[in-house]
Amino acid sequence: MSRIMMNRRKLLTIGSVAGTSALVSGCDAFDGVLAGRSPVRNFMESTANGLSYRVQRFLIGGHSLAQEFAEADIRQPMRPNGITAPADDTYKALSANAFADYRLEVGGMVQKPLSLSLVELMTMPARTQITRHDCVEGWSCIAKWTGVPLSQVLDLAVVKSEARYIVFHCLDTIERGLSGEVKYYESIDLVDARHPQTILAYGMNDERLPVSNGAPLRLRVERQLGYKMAKYIRAIEVVSDLAAFGFGKGGYWEDRGYEWYAGI
Amino acid sequence: MSEPSETQEARPKAGKLIYKQTLATRLTHWVWALSLFFLLLSGLQIFNAHPALYIGDQSGFAFDNAVLRIGGERTPDAGRRGFVELLGTKFDTSGWLGLYRDDNGIIQNRAFPGWMTIPSYYDLATGRVVHFFFAWIFAITLITWLVAALVSGHFRRDILPRWRDIRALPRDLADHLRLRFHHRREYNVLQKLSYAGVLLVLMPLMIATGLAMSPGFNAAAPWLADILGGRQTARTIHFVTMLLLVGFFVIHIVMVLAAGPINELRSIITGWYRADATENEER
């Protein structure tokens, strides 16, 4: 959904509130108070999402595993969503060369910044898991993911003690607006980053990760919704605060009103 | 209790005001009413993001496990229509579901039309924010009510049907069908059964199926989604339970109107209820 489109709809809605009877436009009544960054909406989002985050962290901590499934449960190809074929020149060049020139940059609050090739990532200890991908839209799809646990990469880079979040910078442009190109980005906390099922996946259903599903490298955070699992990862940045990125909410969709904690 | 005698007027004589609904009952009633209103309309907004329901763990894209789809499609004569596909059978629902004309005359392709959703325009993110905010209020209120009702005896006295309630079931059913209502301090057996069904079955089921859809909660209690038949089945049950709650709401309102809206509303706002004269004489 584009922001311009939404603003147009909002304008139309405001117009319709003024122009039609209360009976016909019953639910328009709440549009104004919930629009954009209204204080009411912010209050509701921070209260409920903060509560969900704290309660779920208490319940599942750092080690409760997401449900894993059997081979027989893989009944269909993994459904791709969002950007499925990045049009960016950098990406297309990397893809044309089968990602031989790809490097994952690991920086920020680490003692040893890294630049890892796909082969280097693939020679690190790997984890394979069959999990259910839950999209924020409501659908689910089961697939097998193979990749290097993010904790392995973080240990190699040695995370500094003041670090709190991991930010994933992506290669794909998700929005071309008046303010220029917006690239996808996401963030998770260190608890999820160090979770055993949190992997940087390069394989899917026993094959190389397809472009539509995020090649060469995508994130799996199995205890959260799909939009947290950034595709086409270019760089990992270890930070103490999310304010400096995008509109400061911790991710492309978070900047557009979605909750930062997507465990629910 | 005495049967209304044949000589009595059809409308029983009004008796004294009695204190029927405690503060706890009245407060929880209105908090639920408010939160269910927002949960319903934001829930339909969320449904619009993927207007299909399935059976099992996942949504079938390469196979068919859908039980319900709502959408818009082109007709052979190059027009457009809205449809609901229930268990493989398609119904034309243009103007109502799948496709509707908004206030500005623009045809919108949406499962539930704007006047049924919060916000009225398509906005999944805000739908979720509203839904989870009121879901917390709803769940906390239900737990508070359950504890208070167990402690105060409201649960045992007014909600759980007793043997003599069950025996009164046929007569109570007949009375309701003839719209003959007894205004008493106690709930009649149909009230007890429907309130118990809503409070102890539908509302907890709504919370359980909601939690079963949460990937975070799923890591804490994978058995919940399993016993509900998988995440997508839980989502389907969540939807069906919503329909049942809406059905309860409709009957509830009809009953309030039929039994005397002023008296019923006064009791759920102030607690005071005017009982039938015959009922008061017994006390």
Side-chain angles (χ1 to χ4, degrees):
Chain A
M1 89 188 85
S2 85
R3 304 186 68 219
I4 296 164
M5 186 68 182
M6 266 179 45
N7 285 337
R8 194 177 64 85
R9 283 206 182 117
K10 230 173 280 170
L11 268 176
L12 287 175
T13 309
I14 291 164
S16 76
V17 169
T20 56
S21 72
L23 189 71
V24 177
S25 57
C27 289
D28 289 4
F30 304 101
D31 289 355
V33 84
L34 293 170
R37 294 253 157 261
S38 84
V40 173
R41 193 193 186 286
N42 282 350
F43 170 76
M44 289 168 91
E45 184 179 349
S46 57
T47 312
N49 197 238
L51 205 51
S52 301
Y53 176 62
R54 266 172 233 127
V55 170
Q56 291 206 347
R57 272 284 174 275
F58 171 75
L59 285 175
I60 59 179
H63 292 284
S64 286
L65 294 181
Q67 206 169 359
E68 294 197 14
F69 296 83
E71 294 275 352
D73 295 317
I74 307 169
R75 297 177 61 194
Q76 56 187 346
M78 177 62 201
R79 181 180 172 86
N81 207 17
I83 298 294
T84 51
D88 307 73
D89 290 337
T90 331
Y91 184 83
K92 283 201 270 194
L94 286 169
S95 169
N97 200 13
F99 302 104
D101 303 321
Y102 170 81
R103 312 291 293 183
L104 171 71
E105 308 293 337
V106 183
M109 292 178 160
V110 293
Q111 287 175 15
K112 286 185 279 181
L114 306 170
S115 176
L116 302 164
S117 73
L118 205 49
V119 175
E120 282 172 310
L121 287 163
M122 284 168 148
T123 48
M124 289 174 74
R127 191 181 201 282
T128 296
Q129 59 209 24
I130 300 172
T131 51
R132 196 191 60 221
H133 180 100
D134 298 329
C135 179
V136 66
E137 293 166 1
W139 54 266
S140 308
C141 193
I142 293 174
K144 184 197 270 189
W145 304 95
T146 303
V148 50
L150 179 57
S151 59
Q152 298 270 350
V153 175
L154 295 179
D155 287 345
L156 211 61
V158 190
V159 173
K160 290 183 181 169
S161 60
E162 61 268 39
R164 287 189 60 201
Y165 305 101
I166 311 291
V167 176
F168 301 88
H169 299 283
C170 302
L171 288 159
D172 59 316
T173 297
I174 184 151
E175 191 180 309
R176 287 180 179 80
L178 296 172
S179 51
E181 293 187 345
V182 182
K183 288 215 163 26
Y184 202 84
Y185 80 102
E186 255 304 339
S187 63
I188 57 174
D189 66 7
L190 284 177
V191 174
D192 264 329
R194 294 202 171 278
H195 185 263
Q197 286 170 319
T198 300
I199 61 173
L200 297 168
Y202 45 72
M204 191 192 87
N205 292 343
D206 296 320
E207 284 170 23
R208 284 284 284 267
L209 185 66
V211 166
S212 61
N213 296 104
L217 204 63
R218 78 169 297 170
L219 180 66
R220 298 297 308 168
V221 196
E222 304 291 358
R223 303 186 301 179
Q224 295 204 46
L225 296 172
Y227 66 85
K228 296 302 287 186
M229 308 193 216
K231 306 199 287 188
Y232 317 111
I233 298 172
R234 174 182 62 80
I236 291 175
E237 190 174 349
V238 183
V239 300
S240 62
D241 191 70
L242 298 171
F245 308 97
F247 300 146
K249 298 284 178 177
Y252 172 78
W253 287 114
E254 287 85 335
D255 286 339
R256 280 142 195 89
Y258 286 82
E259 295 98 343
W260 177 77
Y261 180 66
I264 186 157
Chain B
M1 76 191 74
S2 60
E3 289 260 40
S5 64
E6 292 297 316
T7 53
Q8 213 178 348
E9 307 165 24
R11 196 192 198 127
K13 260 194 309 200
K16 271 186 289 188
L17 280 176
I18 53 168
Y19 189 66
K20 179 169 176 171
Q21 307 290 7
T22 62
L23 183 64
T25 303
R26 278 138 54 206
L27 270 178
T28 52
H29 173 273
W30 288 112
V31 174
W32 282 326
L34 183 81
S35 50
L36 282 169
F37 171 80
F38 283 102
L39 281 165
L40 171 65
L41 300 179
S42 59
L44 297 180
Q45 169 74 250
I46 295 170
F47 178 86
N48 276 354
H50 188 78
L53 297 173
Y54 311 86
I55 297 296
D57 284 311
Q58 55 184 326
S59 317
F61 298 107
F63 59 96
D64 189 14
N65 64 341
V67 288
L68 178 84
R69 281 180 200 284
I70 302 180
E73 62 184 5
R74 296 246 164 236
T75 53
D77 57 349
R80 288 162 76 185
R81 68 168 194 158
F83 70 86
V84 170
E85 189 178 346
L86 179 66
L87 301 167
T89 310
K90 259 189 190 176
F91 304 93
D92 191 327
T93 53
S94 303
W96 175 241
L97 300 169
L99 205 74
Y100 81 107
R101 197 179 291 272
D102 70 12
D103 295 341
N104 304 293
I106 299 164
I107 292 177
Q108 300 275 5
N109 189 348
R110 208 164 301 161
F112 289 102
W115 61 267
M116 279 194 211
T117 64
I118 289 180
S120 69
Y121 48 88
Y122 178 74
D123 184 351
L124 172 61
T126 303
R128 282 169 52 83
V129 166
V130 173
H131 203 70
F132 297 140
F133 179 78
F134 284 101
W136 272 110
I137 294 177
F138 174 76
I140 290 168
T141 309
L142 185 63
I143 293 164
T144 309
W145 174 84
L146 195 60
V147 171
L150 283 170
V151 170
S152 70
H154 173 55
F155 185 79
R156 185 174 39 79
R157 194 177 57 238
D158 304 321
I159 304 295
L160 274 194
R162 274 175 266 189
W163 176 234
R164 71 154 198 241
D165 291 319
I166 304 296
R167 269 187 323 192
L169 189 58
R171 202 189 61 205
D172 196 42
L173 204 59
D175 283 348
H176 271 85
L177 288 173
R178 284 178 291 173
L179 296 181
R180 178 183 291 171
F181 296 100
H182 306 289
H183 301 87
R184 296 194 298 257
R185 197 204 166 281
E186 295 78 26
Y187 292 147
N188 61 59
V189 60
L190 285 180
Q191 278 181 299
K192 283 190 176 184
L193 286 174
S194 48
Y195 296 157
V198 166
L199 290 160
L200 305 178
V201 180
L202 297 187
M203 285 183 174
L205 188 59
M206 217 54 186
I207 295 171
T209 49
L211 285 173
M213 282 187 264
S214 148
F217 191 84
N218 205 221
W223 52 264
L224 184 64
D226 283 345
I227 59 167
L228 291 165
R231 181 179 193 254
Q232 289 299 322
T233 312
R235 186 166 171 266
T236 302
I237 300 172
H238 199 71
F239 189 89
V240 172
T241 311
M242 174 276 288
L243 293 178
L244 293 174
L245 283 172
V246 170
F248 167 78
F249 171 75
V250 171
I251 295 170
H252 185 56
I253 296 300
V254 169
M255 288 296 124
V256 166
L257 292 175
I262 304 291
N263 196 21
E264 302 293 331
L265 267 172
R266 178 179 47 218
S267 79
I268 201 64
I269 293 170
T270 68
W272 291 93
Y273 188 68
R274 194 172 295 283
D276 296 342
T278 46
E279 304 296 336
N280 268 350
E281 283 157 16
E282 283 176 21
R283 272 156 218 287

